[in-house]
Amino acid sequence: MRNPYEVLGVDPRASAEEIKSAFRRLAAQHHPDKNPDDEASADRFKEINLAHQILSDPDKRAAFDRWGTSAFSPGGASPPGPGFGDFSSVEGMFGDLLDALGMRPTDRGNVRQRLRLTFEEAALGCTREVSYPRTDLCSTCGGDGAEPGTVSQTCPTCHGRGRLRVPQGILPLPLERTCTRCHATGRISRRPCRACHGRGIAQAQHRLAVTIPAGIEDGSSRVVDGAGSRPRRDRSPGNLEVVVEVAAHPFFRRSGDDLTCRVPISFVQAALGSEVEVPTLEGKAKLRVPPGTQPGNVLRLRGKGVPRRSRMGRGDQLIEVQVEVPSGLTDRARELIQQLGDELGDELLPERKGFLDRVKAWLG
């Protein structure tokens, strides 16, 4: 028996969807119908099927990852005991022991769903509807597993208990395992539901309104209890984890609870001072630009940032001033600016004067 990961050509960390995709591609390529009278292709098809059976089953895959191919060989490296090699029942002595001790890793039905938000939705909070595939009780049979109009009966294997006792010669405690015939429900039907094939659960698209708190950050998540999938009809649904992705904003950048943005103003506004309109999360606001504002100065609008999640209040909005130099001057404008430059000199330009003084000192 070859390594099933090598057979399907997938990484040992591959997801269930990647494994399924690789299987479908290879199965279509080596199917006997497409390769009649090709014995090598038929053998390859069987090998692909076996690899998929192992890697698509969480318990079989875990057994292979731990013990390798010996987990599926009689007398191999797997722990001895009744039923361990019977992976078609997804049970075994080692799994029964962990299950009895409440330590067995099983599918809890948790679902992860990504939700993309606008910058404003994440900052101010919102309620969004998410749609995702979820496994729950079959809507056709109501979870009974029987075709509508028929009646299920007590499982003759477990006598309605849903569990089977497993005798253990090497362990002092009696163990129980899930009945694989009725899937722990204690009842079976002679006419299984065609929608769910008698499993009592089926996958369908589910819609749910999720409340996103104000101030949530990119990559954060919200957990909705009981909104995940039902791994088996006798178990409760798992949880839904909504992972938030926040879109970039054309004006704002976030720094903790503060927002930053850059606003261009004219030379006249910077020199004489003025009141300008700037964008905020709620719309426009007035910002006072003091006289003598320099390029790169940061002005502050208090309480216009992101609502704080850890305490009351909101952060601030920080505005970096960009002084715009006019271009395409007329002759008259050029003459006036030249007169202004002559009038100002170096005394009214302290940064320029300081720079020139340092250059002179450096040059000696």
Side-chain angles (χ1 to χ4, degrees):
M1 176 181 171
R2 288 177 59 201
N3 184 322
Y5 292 109
E6 295 179 0
V7 173
L8 296 183
V10 296
D11 189 91
R13 296 168 296 182
S15 65
E17 192 59 38
E18 290 172 330
I19 290 171
K20 183 188 294 185
S21 176
F23 165 71
R24 287 177 176 173
R25 176 175 50 81
L26 292 173
Q29 180 182 348
H30 296 280
H31 197 280
D33 292 344
K34 289 189 176 181
N35 302 276
D37 303 322
D38 187 343
E39 187 174 343
S41 187
D43 292 340
R44 174 73 170 143
F45 184 74
K46 293 178 183 178
E47 186 179 45
I48 293 167
N49 267 306
L50 177 60
H52 180 250
Q53 289 176 17
I54 293 172
L55 298 185
S56 63
D57 187 302
D59 292 273
K60 294 180 185 179
R61 184 175 180 179
F64 175 81
D65 290 342
R66 183 162 188 177
W67 293 293
T69 57
S70 61
F72 307 94
S73 304
S78 59
F84 183 80
D86 181 18
F87 281 96
S88 61
S89 65
V90 198
E91 296 290 341
M93 185 198 77
F94 194 66
D96 293 330
L97 175 60
L98 293 178
D99 201 12
L101 298 176
M103 299 166 56
R104 186 174 185 185
T106 57
D107 179 12
R108 300 183 183 277
N110 294 334
V111 175
R112 174 177 286 192
Q113 178 70 24
R114 294 190 176 277
L115 177 62
R116 189 165 180 81
L117 302 177
T118 65
F119 192 91
E120 290 87 349
E121 287 174 330
L124 301 177
C126 63
T127 298
R128 286 282 303 275
E129 185 178 76
V130 294
S131 176
Y132 59 99
R134 175 194 185 194
T135 301
D136 204 355
L137 294 179
C138 175
S139 59
T140 301
C141 66
D144 184 62
E147 186 69 16
T150 65
V151 180
S152 60
Q153 62 185 24
T154 301
C155 175
T157 303
C158 66
H159 305 291
R161 295 182 63 246
R163 307 281 294 175
L164 293 172
R165 284 187 175 274
V166 180
Q168 302 291 337
I170 61 173
L171 295 173
L173 70 161
L175 298 180
E176 288 190 344
R177 60 192 289 185
T178 300
C179 177
T180 56
R181 185 171 182 181
C182 66
H183 302 288
T185 62
R187 302 189 67 81
I188 61 172
S189 175
R190 295 190 182 276
R191 290 184 58 192
C193 173
R194 286 174 292 181
C196 65
H197 307 288
R199 296 179 64 237
I201 56 175
Q203 189 178 85
Q205 203 70 11
H206 185 67
R207 294 182 179 276
L208 180 70
V210 178
T211 300
I212 303 299
I216 197 168
E217 297 185 70
D218 183 61
S220 299
S221 62
R222 294 280 290 167
V223 176
V224 183
D225 294 338
S229 288
R230 190 183 297 267
R232 274 188 347 214
R233 54 180 166 176
D234 63 314
R235 292 185 180 172
S236 300
N239 300 328
L240 169 67
E241 181 185 8
V242 180
V243 181
V244 171
E245 294 179 349
V246 181
H249 196 277
F251 299 125
F252 303 121
R253 297 186 308 277
R254 182 171 175 176
S255 177
D257 295 328
D258 292 335
L259 295 178
T260 62
C261 68
R262 304 174 72 180
V263 175
I265 62 174
S266 69
F267 167 77
V268 175
Q269 290 174 315
L272 302 180
S274 66
E275 190 176 71
V276 297
E277 281 191 342
V278 296
T280 70
L281 287 175
E282 288 88 359
K284 296 178 180 179
K286 296 288 186 179
L287 173 69
R288 180 180 172 276
V289 179
T293 295
Q294 302 297 312
N297 280 176
V298 176
L299 306 178
R300 184 183 299 267
L301 284 175
R302 297 195 178 277
K304 292 295 184 179
V306 178
R308 297 187 175 98
R309 299 190 62 186
S310 58
R311 61 186 190 276
M312 298 293 291
R314 294 175 58 166
D316 299 333
Q317 181 171 325
L318 309 178
I319 296 96
E320 181 183 345
V321 174
Q322 287 182 292
V323 178
E324 197 167 17
V325 177
S327 59
L329 298 174
T330 63
D331 291 341
R332 174 62 176 162
R334 188 177 294 106
E335 180 182 350
L336 292 173
I337 291 177
Q338 183 62 57
Q339 292 177 9
L340 176 62
D342 295 340
E343 178 70 22
L344 293 176
D346 290 339
E347 296 300 325
L348 297 179
L349 300 172
E351 288 193 20
R352 172 175 170 77
K353 183 176 185 303
F355 173 76
L356 293 176
D357 290 343
R358 290 194 297 274
V359 170
K360 289 179 181 179
W362 177 58
L363 294 176

